[in-house]
């Protein structure tokens, strides 16, 4: 479970996040939408322990995040705008490196299974520099799930994916949800978000404008709330 209390992030003379409060229950699936510049990616980076808030705090399973809680990173899988992959290495070399970083056992088997899940077995030994944008995104997803994290943070994971790959991602999201993982997904794809999530959040100008359950909310209602918050069509 994640609790965010009075979170604020100031960059230069601008408050990117202001008085953000919410709770992510264990096993919940939350979709986050909002206009560009709303602070969505900054919020995800704070949850991923990639940057620190200016004030306020984040608690993961009751533990306040701080310099001494780096071990919490092992519970988190992140797909962001940066793939965190090395272009000169092959897919298997990249994932094996991360497996060693996480101190995993049975790394070869874990690597093959992660790559199989994202549909990249055919490119297992190909250098990442030859990958298309969609293949790179698939491998970034494999990297994020390699260590079997309880919390998955995804920032526009559909970027660069063709329809087949999008359907693969949706199946993975559904299976992760059924396994009880906590999922925090930033996306512009309303339909997919509404069909998979149990909660949604609209972020506007660094503040949480809406945070409600998806149940009983129709697609047009959802789209209307997004547009009210400044999200484009």
């Amino acid at each position: 479970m994640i609790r965010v209390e009075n979170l604020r992030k100031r960059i230069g003379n601008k408050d990117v996040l202001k008085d953000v409060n919410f709770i992510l229950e264990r096993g919940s699936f939350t979709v986050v939408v909002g206009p560009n510049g709303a602070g969505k990616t900054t919020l995800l980076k704070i949850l991923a322990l990639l940057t620190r808030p200016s004030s306020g705090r984040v608690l993961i399973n009751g533990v306040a995040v701080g310099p001494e809680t780096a071990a919490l990173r092992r519970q988190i899988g992140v797909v962001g705008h940066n793939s965190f992959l090395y272009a000169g290495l092959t897919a298997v070399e990249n994932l094996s490196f991360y497996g060693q970083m996480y101190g995993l056992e049975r790394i070869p088997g874990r690597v093959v299974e992660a790559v199989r899940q994202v549909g990249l077995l055919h490119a297992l030994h190909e250098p990442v520099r030859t990958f298309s944008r969609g293949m790179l995104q698939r491998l970034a997803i494999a990297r994020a799930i390699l260590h079997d994290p309880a919390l998955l943070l995804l920032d526009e994971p559909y970027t660069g994916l063709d329809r087949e790959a999008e359907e693969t991602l949706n199946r993975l999201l559904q299976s992760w949800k059924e396994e009880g993982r906590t999922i925090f997904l930033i996306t512009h794809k309303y339909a997919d978000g509404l069909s998979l999530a149990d909660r949604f959040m609209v972020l506007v100008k660094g503040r949480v404008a809406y945070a409600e359950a998806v149940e009983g909310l129709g697609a047009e209602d959802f789209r209307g709330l997004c547009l009210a918050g400044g999200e484009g069509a």
Side-chain angles (χ1 to χ4, degrees), residues 17-220:
L17 295 171
K18 296 170 282 189
D19 301 320
V20 174
N21 294 273
F22 60 86
I23 293 174
L24 301 181
E25 298 290 352
R26 183 173 299 166
S28 63
F29 190 144
T30 302
V31 163
V32 183
V33 298
N36 292 336
K40 302 185 300 294
T41 294
T42 299
L43 177 57
L44 183 140
K45 286 181 177 179
I46 291 173
L47 297 181
L49 314 184
L50 296 175
T51 189
R52 296 182 187 178
S54 301
S55 61
R57 64 176 187 165
V58 176
L59 295 94
I60 299 179
N61 295 329
V63 179
V65 170
E68 74 285 356
T69 55
L72 288 173
R73 295 178 192 273
R74 296 179 181 272
Q75 302 178 35
I76 302 172
V78 182
V79 176
H81 295 170
N82 188 326
S83 71
F84 299 108
L85 298 168
Y86 297 92
L89 301 181
T90 65
V92 67
E93 288 170 341
N94 265 283
L95 296 192
S96 296
F97 168 75
Y98 279 103
Q100 293 170 27
M101 289 282 288
Y102 282 113
L104 300 180
E105 299 178 352
R106 300 180 292 102
I107 291 176
R110 282 177 176 263
V111 168
V112 170
E113 176 57 21
V115 171
R116 183 196 65 77
Q117 289 188 59
V118 299
L120 277 181
L121 278 177
H122 64 284
L124 194 60
H125 299 288
E126 298 297 322
V128 166
R129 65 172 175 270
T130 67
F131 280 22
S132 67
R133 180 68 183 89
M135 291 173 67
L136 194 66
Q137 188 74 334
R138 289 192 194 206
L139 190 59
I141 294 168
R143 173 194 51 72
I145 63 175
L146 182 67
H147 58 296
D148 196 25
L151 170 63
L152 284 158
L153 306 172
L154 305 105
D155 191 353
E156 298 293 353
Y158 294 97
T159 301
L161 301 183
D162 58 25
R163 190 57 206 168
E164 180 183 355
E166 287 181 357
E167 291 172 356
T168 296
L169 176 56
N170 284 339
R171 286 195 297 271
L172 285 172
L173 288 168
Q174 182 63 43
S175 69
W176 297 336
K177 178 180 178 180
E178 292 171 357
E179 290 167 1
R181 302 179 197 268
T182 305
I183 302 170
F184 187 85
L185 169 67
I186 296 172
T187 182
H188 286 85
K189 294 181 67 62
Y190 304 137
D192 289 312
L194 188 61
S195 66
L196 291 166
D198 46 59
R199 294 191 63 80
F200 79 98
M201 181 187 302
V202 181
L203 206 63
V204 179
K205 295 181 179 179
R207 298 181 185 272
V208 177
Y210 302 95
E212 303 290 344
V214 169
E215 185 177 3
L217 189 70
E220 286 304 311

